[in-house]
Amino acid sequence: METIRRTKVVDLLQRRDFGAMVNVKGWVRTRRGSKQVSFIALNDGSTINNVQIVVDLAHFDEELLKQVTTGACLSVNGELAASIGSGQACEIQAREIEVLGACDNTYPLQKKGHTMEFLREIAHLRPRTNTFGAVFRIRHNMAIAIHRFFHEHGFFYFHTPIITASDCEGAGQMFQVTTMNLYDLKKDENGSIIYDSDFFGKQASLTVSGQLEGELAATALGAIYTFGPTFRAENSNTPRHLAEFWMVEPEVAFADLQELMDLEEEFIKYCVQWALDHCKDDLEFLNKMVDKGLIERLQKVVATDFVRLPYTEGIKILEEAVAQGHKFEFPVYWGCDLASEHERYLVEHHFQKPVIMTDYPKEIKAFYMKQNADGKTVQGTDVLFPQIGEIIGGSVREESYDKLMARITELNIPMKDMWWYLDTRKYGTCPHAGFGLGFERLLLFVTGMANIRDVIPFPRTPRNADF
Ligand code: 4AD
Ligand code: MG
């Protein structure tokens, strides 16, 4: 076969120099036609769109053509031609075809219309479907948007450790990391495991959040963000929870509650606008095939002001709803941790726009949140989104050493491994604030997909770590 430099399909579809000889490489999505001519839809992943290859069967070897089946990988040389029938402006009149990889009829993606559940079982192949191709191209674009947003706003990308000895959220949902022989653990007289001989000489785990280290960085570099994998051993089998997910955590020195909320809102809007600007073809596909209201919802979020609602006000609204006969599964009272039905009532029913809820009872929030003067609430913020529920959790941090220490003691948090965190409050403490955005929750919103397992390539959930 003649050597011609490969053109990606995304670039090829823009070209109008009809008559030029081109080469494309990709996977056969479909093949149809007659006894004389075949039409191959070839996709190389660079775009959701296929390029149509027109094959005059008389000019090709029969044995070769037998191998041009759904899923096969081809290299095609041919003439770029104007197209009338393919739905694209151009197509390729094939001159030479090489089968790089044949694909027999055991290939599971023969037919269209597989369920999401089935596709999850073949997560190694599902990126080759239109839907997952679109989702993963959008995922990439959202990562780029995140880095651009923070870079443009003067934040430094700071890498926090994946292995840690501290439980940031204090929720005890950590995966332990050890090199000890689990069949032969050394224990003391109380039956507690002795970690002296373990790799780190103490108990270590996968991080649930980079926040504590992020705070160290913010109190030195001013404004930072982390963006990396986080791990939670919570046994939540829901469409919103993963055991391994990616989190974006900015942390800003000198920011107060108002500035924190402004940052949260501006950041999400920037990311959504980025998708609208850079993922048009993929969004249009998802809008057509997955979620008819998707693009309109994205446009609406960019254009609306988020509601800012103190927790106490939110409880009043929910209590009124109950008084008027609305039925919730879980009880509503001041001090309760809002269930997702409560959050959804506020966001989807009452306000019909995103809500930033603030000033939660301290009992239901983490130890590091700044305590309000009322002695009851803390300056935590959750950003609640339609369909998703909580997309961001953040807070102003308690900067007073004494108040923080008092809270730590109150909650019996083991601080022996956290002296370094307290040092930020001891040496030149400063007001600061930050938040964590669940990357896959953002992707749920931006793609319209219904299950968080379908916006990450290889989901990890209870009893599932395949691929
Ligand atoms: O609300 P969370 O637990 O907050 C923190 O971890 C803080 N340390 C963040 C900070 O202030 N720097 O988690 C933050 C976000 C949630 O709002 C949610 O979007 C996402 O992380 N999240 C999950 N996403 C998928 N699966 C899970 N199991 C998640 N748990 C939290
Ligand atoms: Mg939270």
Side-chain angles (χ1 to χ4, degrees):
M1 200 158 112
E2 193 192 340
T3 309
I4 302 173
R5 212 174 138 179
R6 174 190 168 217
T7 306
K8 285 189 182 179
V9 172
V10 68
D11 300 324
L12 190 100
L13 293 175
Q14 301 303 318
R15 284 175 59 170
R16 297 295 177 267
D17 52 336
F18 304 127
M21 284 301 288
V22 295
N23 171 269
V24 288
K25 295 181 170 69
W27 294 269
V28 176
R29 280 293 167 80
T30 57
R31 176 181 170 182
R32 59 187 180 82
S34 64
K35 286 221 166 63
Q36 287 80 43
V37 59
S38 268
F39 301 100
I40 301 168
L42 200 72
N43 187 283
D44 70 356
S46 61
T47 161
I48 188 128
N49 299 308
N50 305 321
V51 62
Q52 172 159 287
I53 315 284
V54 183
V55 186
D56 186 347
L57 299 183
H59 291 113
F60 289 87
D61 176 52
E62 226 173 279
E63 286 309 305
L64 177 119
L65 290 171
K66 272 189 199 157
Q67 292 192 64
V68 178
T69 54
T70 299
C73 184
L74 306 184
S75 175
V76 178
N77 284 345
E79 194 179 306
L80 190 66
S83 174
I84 351 151
S86 73
Q88 308 288 354
C90 59
E91 62 187 21
I92 295 174
Q93 301 281 346
R95 294 283 177 272
E96 292 178 290
I97 297 177
E98 186 186 347
V99 177
L100 299 176
C103 184
D104 68 23
N105 61 11
T106 60
Y107 182 55
L109 294 172
Q110 303 283 347
K111 284 180 273 154
K112 292 182 176 175
H114 294 297
T115 65
M116 291 296 158
E117 288 76 13
F118 172 73
L119 291 172
R120 251 170 249 151
E121 288 169 18
I122 52 163
H124 60 306
L125 295 173
R126 67 178 182 170
R128 291 199 204 171
T129 63
N130 282 331
T131 300
F132 285 91
V135 167
F136 297 139
R137 275 185 297 271
I138 293 174
R139 187 176 166 107
H140 157 80
N141 269 282
M142 288 297 91
I144 297 295
I146 286 162
H147 285 301
R148 286 192 65 132
F149 175 85
F150 286 119
H151 182 68
E152 285 168 10
H153 288 73
F155 288 62
F156 300 108
Y157 183 25
F158 191 77
H159 294 109
T160 51
I162 305 259
I163 299 175
T164 173
S166 58
D167 182 357
C168 171
E169 292 303 296
Q173 296 169 325
M174 305 187 81
F175 288 103
Q176 198 167 332
V177 175
T178 180
T179 53
M180 289 192 299
N181 177 358
L182 298 183
Y183 295 103
D184 182 23
L185 293 173
K186 272 191 271 160
K187 296 185 183 166
D188 64 15
E189 59 275 20
N190 303 320
S192 302
I193 294 164
I194 300 169
Y195 282 95
D196 292 356
S197 63
D198 201 356
F199 190 90
F200 299 105
K202 60 165 124 177
Q203 196 175 356
S205 304
L206 296 177
T207 187
V208 295
S209 161
Q211 178 195 323
L212 301 188
E213 292 90 350
E215 285 186 53
L216 308 181
T219 55
L221 302 174
I224 64 91
Y225 69 104
T226 72
F227 182 19
T230 38
F231 307 87
R232 302 221 177 155
E234 54 187 328
N235 203 357
S236 305
N237 247 314
T238 82
R240 312 266 173 270
H241 289 88
L242 289 165
E244 176 180 305
F245 63 100
W246 284 62
M247 186 148 56
V248 186
E249 295 184 275
E251 194 69 35
V252 198
F254 315 116
D256 61 14
L257 185 62
Q258 204 59 42
E259 287 161 326
L260 174 66
M261 291 190 288
D262 290 346
L263 181 67
E264 292 171 341
E265 184 168 341
E266 194 190 344
F267 169 61
I268 294 188
K269 286 179 172 173
Y270 181 99
C271 292
V272 173
Q273 187 62 52
W274 184 274
L276 288 166
D277 292 345
H278 295 87
C279 309
K280 203 164 166 287
D281 290 350
D282 288 323
L283 285 179
E284 276 168 8
F285 174 82
L286 294 171
N287 193 72
K288 198 164 95 198
M289 304 303 289
V290 173
D291 177 352
K292 296 267 186 291
L294 176 64
I295 292 179
E296 200 191 320
R297 200 159 58 243
L298 298 185
Q299 287 164 340
K300 223 175 115 187
V301 153
V302 174
T304 39
D305 291 337
F306 296 4
V307 175
R308 298 181 180 194
L309 181 76
Y311 169 92
T312 303
E313 300 292 315
I315 291 293
K316 273 186 204 149
I317 294 169
L318 292 170
E319 282 174 341
E320 266 162 42
V322 172
Q324 272 154 31
H326 192 90
K327 295 259 181 298
F328 291 115
E329 192 184 336
F330 298 99
V332 178
Y333 55 94
W334 197 96
C336 75
D337 202 355
L338 295 185
S340 92
E341 56 172 346
H342 305 137
E343 295 176 344
R344 294 185 73 152
Y345 179 88
L346 293 170
V347 173
E348 287 163 28
H349 183 81
H350 189 84
F351 291 108
Q352 297 179 352
K353 41 169 115 165
V355 171
I356 308 183
M357 189 171 262
T358 64
D359 301 289
Y360 286 85
K362 64 178 184 207
E363 285 75 19
I364 58 171
K365 289 290 177 192
F367 72 95
Y368 50 70
M369 296 195 182
K370 186 176 173 68
Q371 298 158 37
N372 279 322
D374 62 11
K376 292 195 295 198
T377 58
V378 289
Q379 293 185 12
T381 65
D382 277 4
V383 181
L384 309 176
F385 253 54
Q387 256 90 9
I388 315 297
E390 179 190 336
I391 194 166
I392 279 182
S395 80
V396 181
R397 317 307 188 188
E398 182 54 72
E399 85 261 24
S400 148
Y401 182 93
D402 291 338
K403 284 190 192 161
L404 188 61
M405 208 48 214
R407 194 76 188 120
I408 284 167
T409 317
E410 224 173 354
L411 292 171
N412 282 321
I413 295 173
M415 283 315 274
K416 66 173 174 19
D417 298 323
M418 296 255 243
W419 54 272
W420 48 270
Y421 181 67
L422 283 161
D423 270 3
T424 53
R425 280 42 174 193
K426 210 153 114 189
Y427 304 123
T429 192
C430 73
H432 60 288
F435 67 80
L437 166 115
F439 186 49
E440 287 76 18
R441 300 244 176 120
L442 174 68
L443 284 169
L444 278 178
F445 182 72
V446 171
T447 61
M449 298 294 281
N451 193 310
I452 200 162
R453 291 166 179 80
D454 301 329
V455 294
I456 188 166
F458 304 104
R460 269 80 182 96
T461 49
R463 309 196 64 76
N464 173 39
D466 286 344
F467 308 107

